[in-house]
Each structure stands twice: as structure tokens, then as C-alpha cells.
Amino acid sequence: MRVLIYSDVHANLEALLAVEEAAAGRYDVSLCLGDIVGYGANPNETAAWVHTHTPTVIRGNHDRACASLKGIAGFNAVAAQAALWTHQNLRPEHLTWLDHLPAGPLPWDHARLVHGSPLDEDEYLLEPVQAAGAFAADGTSLCWYGHSHVQGGFVLADDQVAVLPSAAEEKPGASARASSRELVLRPDGRYLLNPGSVGQPRDGDWRAAFALYNTETRRVVFHRVPYDITQAQTKIVAAGLPVRLAQRLAAGR
């Protein structure tokens, strides 16, 4: 089975549509690891797209906060302002759908789906020591996670945790093309894999990120695709959202 796995859309419709185009015809089913809304200017459109196209979705911390305002007190000022704006602008049907999304961990086809980590849906897996704790807490051979907005992940093999490369490029130019990196999962390894962020990458690469996974060949391909970032930025500013949210898209941070 060919699987499209994506996360952290953050109401960036332009990035999501670029992923849709790039992945078209290359997958049989899709999974979303949360944070469909928050930060960007198109929460209704991204919620509708995910609801329509993706049967398996878990919630992210921004989905929870934007739908119910729960946890917003723990956000920084910019994130809290964006969450409140999103809550006020989401249509009732999308508020209800987001509010009822399941929290991870969620089992899926011999794998595990989480937003942050198997230990805590709000935990950021950024360092090998954190990954070691997650491996210890979860016995599955494959766990997909989001939240960090950093494509790649970790592998536990030969009693060592190693960082996996992604398809990111440091400071890609404005005319950057699509790129990809392949990973074949070792039968003796355990993996924590992050498809990256569709709508707000934080690994120095502004391009939208996603992954394609073949469950039969155990082949993962991490992808990066360019999108109309100027349009996404213009919408954020026009909506009255913090300008910082538009600026950071170009930096990939």
C-alpha cells in the first residue's frame, strides 16, 4: 500500500495544494498527524480539504487550541493571537470536527501515529536523547510523528540512536525545485519518522514537506516542494494576523 503522510499544515492552503499536486496518483491512502489549522489565513479551506481527503487524522495542539481554546494560555503571544483569530473565523462544522479529532497515540497498520511523541502529544522530539525516551516508551518498530516541523527523524539500531537525514536544503532559493530523499527501513531497526511540516517548516527550508511510504517495500521518500509563498504571506497580512507569521515562512524557521 502506498501512503501519503503529512503534518502541520497550519492553515497554509497554498502549501497544501502544492503537496496535493506533487503527490497526485502516487498514493492509495493518506494520514494526517495534526495541526491542520493555526498560524495561517485559510483554516476553513485546509480543514475542509483534510476532512474530505484524509480518512485517518489525529489532532495537534493547535487543532485543540483553535477549536476549544484549551491550552491557549501556554502559547506565546503570537501563537495565542493566531489561535484566537482562527477560533473566531472557523465555521461551526469545522470547529466541531476539529474538536472531536482523536489524540495520539493511534495504532495504524503495525505502526503508531502521534502528534508530538508517544509520551506526550505536546512533546517536541528534536534530540537523540528525547528519541531514546520515546523508543523506550513505545515498542512499535515504526512511529510517525509531527509537531517539531523538522523533516526526518531517528532510528534505533545496534543499541544506538541516530538522526536521519531529510530532503531539506539550507536556505533554498526562491526558485527552488522539488527534491526528495529515499530511506529504506532496516528490518532490524526501529524508527521515529517525521514527514515534516506542510505549511510552516522549521528546518531552514521554506518548501512544503511530506512523505510517501510503501508498506510492502518499506521504502520512505521524504519530499520538498515549492509553493506560492508570496500569496500565503499576503493572505496572512491581509487577515490582520501577526506579520511575524508571514515573515517566518520565507525563512523556514
Side-chain angles (χ1 to χ4, degrees), residues 99-113:
D99 198 35
H100 287 82
L101 289 176
L106 183 71
W108 187 87
D109 192 48
H110 307 293
R112 192 89 70 199
L113 309 180

Side-chain angles (χ1 to χ4, degrees), residues 2-205:
R2 303 172 303 165
V3 190
L4 165 64
I5 303 167
Y6 65 99
S7 188
D8 298 280
V9 178
H10 283 292
N12 187 333
L13 183 62
E14 285 69 31
L16 180 59
L17 294 180
V19 169
E20 177 186 36
E21 181 179 2
R26 302 167 71 179
Y27 66 95
D28 306 305
V29 68
S30 61
L31 312 174
C32 178
L33 305 178
D35 276 1
I36 299 153
V37 299
Y39 294 141
N42 287 109
N44 288 298
E45 293 83 357
T46 56
W49 192 97
V50 174
H51 193 186
T52 300
H53 292 88
T54 304
T56 302
V57 184
I58 59 173
R59 75 180 185 189
N61 57 313
H62 284 264
D63 301 323
R64 183 182 68 231
C66 293
S68 66
L69 300 182
K70 294 177 182 177
I72 195 172
F75 282 12
N76 63 49
V78 170
Q81 183 179 343
L84 181 59
W85 180 93
T86 302
H87 180 78
Q88 293 170 340
N89 283 273
L90 276 167
R91 292 199 289 270
E93 64 269 27
H94 298 143
L95 280 169
T96 300
W97 177 68
L98 289 165
D99 198 35
H100 287 82
L101 289 176
L106 183 71
W108 187 87
D109 192 48
H110 307 293
R112 192 89 70 199
L113 309 180
V114 302
H115 181 63
S117 89
L119 291 164
D120 184 343
E121 65 180 327
D122 294 338
E123 180 183 12
Y124 290 93
L125 291 180
L126 296 168
E127 303 293 338
V129 66
Q130 296 169 305
F135 280 123
D138 186 271
T140 55
S141 62
L142 175 59
C143 179
W144 290 96
Y145 71 99
H147 194 44
S148 70
H149 298 211
V150 177
Q151 190 181 61
F154 304 90
V155 58
L156 174 63
D158 302 321
D159 295 321
Q160 298 289 326
V161 177
V163 179
L164 295 168
S166 72
E169 296 177 5
E170 190 67 24
K171 297 181 179 178
S175 60
R177 298 178 180 179
S179 65
S180 62
R181 183 183 292 270
E182 181 179 322
L183 171 70
V184 178
L185 305 187
R186 295 172 46 170
D188 61 340
R190 294 175 57 202
Y191 293 86
L192 287 161
L193 298 181
N194 191 327
S197 171
V198 171
Q200 196 191 87
R202 294 179 186 167
D203 50 11
D205 188 329

